[in-house]
Amino acid sequence: MARPRGRAVYWAVFTGVVLLFALAFLFPVYWMVTGAMKSPDEVVRTPPTLVPDTWSLDGYTDAWDLMELPLHLWNTVVQAAGAWLLQLVLCTAAAYALSKLRPAFGKVILGGILATLMVPAQALVVPKYLTVADLPLIHTSLLNDPLGIWLPAVANAFNLYLLKRFFDQIPRDVLEAAEIDGAGRLRTLWSIVLPMSRPVLGVVSIFALVAVWQDFLWPLMVFSDTDKQPISVAVVQLSQNIPLTVLIASMVIASIPMVALFLVFQRHIIAGISAGSSKG
């Protein structure tokens, strides 16, 4: 690196690797976006064309109208927003209690919560469905209801543990100073802990929203009514006798909100991950 030739080789290799990885990640996106702009015959042509012969947005407009994407996108937003809000409130409260309030048998409770991470998600599908189909005690069904998505999403052991680990790193002196000033438990959580926890709250929010947005199996079981299905289920259910270009366009439109969400909050994600990796 001390010689000009060494620096030139280093930067050439570094630039080549970066471009290679960028191409590997961006090319599938380009292929999907441009695939919806091709004609149905061109999109299945062999060998495939890298650039469409004629650029057309008919695939996107047809997908928007034929597959009723506005309705299903709104259903997905409602389901994801409700799951995110309930998960953020309850997981934050539980993590704060386990980290700072030190309840009796707190370690046993935390161990039981973490033990659920060892159970495959597929093994919980049938018990969850039976519970949602006939809710205990009140004997009501949550099928075709957003609550059928919201309530199971609240019990997220990974996000709870992530929040607890972050709360463990908050100095005890800060909380004791708040207590001396007369702040109660809830006031300390709202005014002290939450403002300091913005990075990890951003990470948890991303995880919560993406988990609901991309889920397929559970919404498929909960929503038999087509008009209430999220975008992940509707694209599959309505794909019969639909041109391939329209199907590709619908997948592009369905992925735009999550891509935009990541681009907007990528700083919070990186800050949350780095904040959870070190103490202080």
Side-chain angles (χ1 to χ4, degrees):
M1 293 297 295
R3 298 179 180 179
R5 183 177 180 181
R7 288 195 296 270
V9 172
Y10 169 80
W11 284 111
V13 173
F14 178 79
T15 304
V17 171
V18 170
L19 291 177
L20 182 63
F21 275 94
L23 181 63
F25 282 103
L26 294 179
F27 182 76
V29 178
Y30 166 81
W31 188 260
M32 187 168 63
V33 172
T34 58
M37 298 181 181
K38 300 177 181 179
S39 65
D41 294 333
E42 184 183 359
V43 78
V44 296
R45 184 186 302 173
T46 302
T49 56
L50 186 61
V51 179
D53 293 338
T54 56
W55 297 80
S56 175
L57 295 177
D58 291 342
Y60 291 99
T61 56
D62 291 343
W64 189 262
D65 297 330
L66 295 177
M67 305 192 73
E68 300 179 339
L69 292 186
L71 172 63
H72 298 296
L73 282 172
W74 174 249
N75 293 340
T76 311
V77 169
V78 171
Q79 295 165 24
W84 162 75
L85 181 60
L86 290 175
Q87 189 174 142
L88 204 63
V89 171
L90 296 179
C91 285
T92 300
Y96 176 69
L98 292 172
S99 176
K100 298 304 180 183
L101 303 186
R102 307 293 175 85
F105 305 107
K107 293 184 178 180
V108 176
I109 296 173
L110 179 62
I113 293 173
L114 295 180
T116 62
L117 294 175
M118 304 178 190
V119 182
Q122 293 79 4
L124 301 176
V125 170
V126 173
K128 283 199 304 181
Y129 181 82
L130 296 176
T131 302
V132 169
D134 185 14
L135 205 62
L137 299 180
I138 60 177
H139 298 290
T140 185
S141 175
L142 298 181
L143 298 179
N144 291 315
D145 192 311
L147 286 172
I149 301 295
W150 296 349
L151 296 184
V154 170
N156 192 303
F158 177 78
N159 284 345
L160 189 150
Y161 181 70
L162 192 65
L163 287 165
K164 181 189 178 299
R165 289 294 299 169
F166 188 89
F167 293 161
D168 288 342
Q169 299 172 10
I170 297 178
R172 188 69 186 176
D173 297 342
V174 176
L175 305 184
E176 291 176 352
E179 293 177 4
I180 293 174
D181 290 339
R185 301 292 189 183
L186 290 178
R187 179 70 176 180
T188 302
L189 173 62
W190 180 260
S191 301
I192 304 298
V193 176
L194 291 184
M196 298 176 63
S197 306
R198 288 178 182 175
V200 73
L201 291 177
V203 174
V204 170
S205 298
I206 294 294
F207 288 165
L209 291 172
V210 171
V212 176
W213 197 277
Q214 70 178 5
D215 195 10
F216 172 77
L217 178 59
W218 181 242
L220 177 65
M221 298 179 66
V222 171
F223 294 102
S224 58
D225 187 351
T226 306
D227 292 337
K228 296 183 179 180
Q229 290 176 344
I231 189 70
S232 59
V233 178
V235 168
V236 177
Q237 295 288 79
L238 301 176
S239 61
Q240 303 296 330
N241 301 322
I242 293 292
L244 184 58
T245 54
V246 176
L247 182 60
I248 295 174
S250 65
M251 291 188 290
V252 173
I253 295 173
S255 62
I256 288 176
M258 287 297 99
V259 174
L261 187 69
F262 173 78
L263 293 177
V264 171
F265 293 102
Q266 59 178 330
R267 291 185 179 180
H268 296 278
I269 298 175
I270 298 173
I273 295 174
S274 61
S277 63
S278 61
K279 290 189 175 182

